[in-house]
Amino acid sequence: MSTAGLPTPGRALHPYARRRLTGRFAELVRHEEELAVSLRALSAPVPAGPARSVLLDRAARHERDAALLRPPALSLGPPDRSSEEPANPEPAVGGGVDARGYARLAARYVLLEGVLTGSLVAALRADLRGAAAPGEFDELLGGLAGAADARRSRVWEALGGTGAGRGARNGAVLVAALDDVVRALVVPERGAVVPMIPVALMRQARVLTGQWANACERAVALLASAGFPVPEEEVRERWWSATRDALAEYRRLRGRDHCVVRAAAAGMPFRPPYAERA
């Protein structure tokens, strides 16, 4: 890929680092756009009033965040085609949706905002530091995760007034939402460039599974603080079971094994965390 027309920060990075960062920025932009879609869907059946205003205001904030993230992503160059693949489709919400479907979307939003936003930002900031990327990229991400916490709290309060907060605490609804979040974390294979050298492959697999483990603990803490009546160990068991399913889905979608599976199958002394909980 020619870098002649790119701003200086993009040209200064190693091509491999630039491709990883571009993929991560693109995924974070897509994530913010999907959160906005979720909130607009959740607001649709809510009568005009404070709760609906909160949902629409937060949707607009997600859209603004996505718009702020696009320029630095574009300064690095176009993303790989693999990073352009869509993430999980949003559960359909329309005039005929039942209370359970609405509650699932509410739980899904809370988990995506509380778990995936922090994971995506942390992974991107780590890659920026590793690539010695210009400081303005890291500064842009500085307040995003903190803003997510405050935004999620307001949304959860608004959803409580619609009854969705109570419905989202249903165990089956929660399990379905956890599955959605794990797929969104695992299937895109953030930073989709996969190294061919075994040592580098193992290093990337360790980084990814470490990120998944951290995200799992974020989910455990979030659900406990939000009053979801699910034991912590049950959340962890479901998380790693969903991870196995997501790795199988990755193979079906991509026609190849995820780098975590490839690293484990290469005979290296490495076991993904989910294997130890199987």
Side-chain angles (χ1 to χ4, degrees), residues 150-174:
R151 181 162 47 203
R152 184 181 65 257
S153 176
R154 291 292 307 280
V155 168
W156 186 241
E157 181 181 343
L159 290 173
T162 69
R166 293 187 296 276
R169 289 183 170 87
N170 176 280
V173 169
L174 174 60

Side-chain angles (χ1 to χ4, degrees), residues 54-94:
V54 167
L55 298 178
L56 290 175
D57 175 70
R58 273 27 189 191
R61 289 294 301 270
H62 283 304
E63 290 164 348
R64 287 197 291 273
D65 286 343
L68 286 172
L69 290 164
R70 284 193 197 97
L74 292 174
S75 77
L76 294 167
D80 285 348
R81 294 189 62 83
S82 58
S83 69
E84 294 172 345
E85 296 181 14
N88 293 319
E90 293 288 332
V93 175

Side-chain angles (χ1 to χ4, degrees), residues 115-224:
V115 176
L116 194 58
T117 298
S119 294
L120 290 171
V121 169
L124 180 48
R125 296 184 81 179
D127 273 358
L128 286 167
R129 289 191 296 270
E136 66 262 24
F137 290 155
D138 190 58
E139 292 171 11
L140 178 66
L141 300 170
L144 192 58
D149 291 336
R151 181 162 47 203
R152 184 181 65 257
S153 176
R154 291 292 307 280
V155 168
W156 186 241
E157 181 181 343
L159 290 173
T162 69
R166 293 187 296 276
R169 289 183 170 87
N170 176 280
V173 169
L174 174 60
V175 164
L178 272 174
D179 289 352
D180 289 341
V181 173
V182 172
R183 280 197 300 274
L185 184 66
V186 173
V187 172
E189 188 174 324
R190 301 204 306 271
V193 182
V194 179
M196 300 304 294
I197 301 172
V199 172
L201 174 67
M202 182 177 178
R203 184 184 304 118
Q204 182 162 323
R206 283 192 182 280
V207 168
L208 286 173
T209 52
Q211 290 167 358
W212 300 345
N214 289 337
C216 176
E217 294 310 309
R218 283 193 185 98
V220 168
L222 171 62
L223 294 177

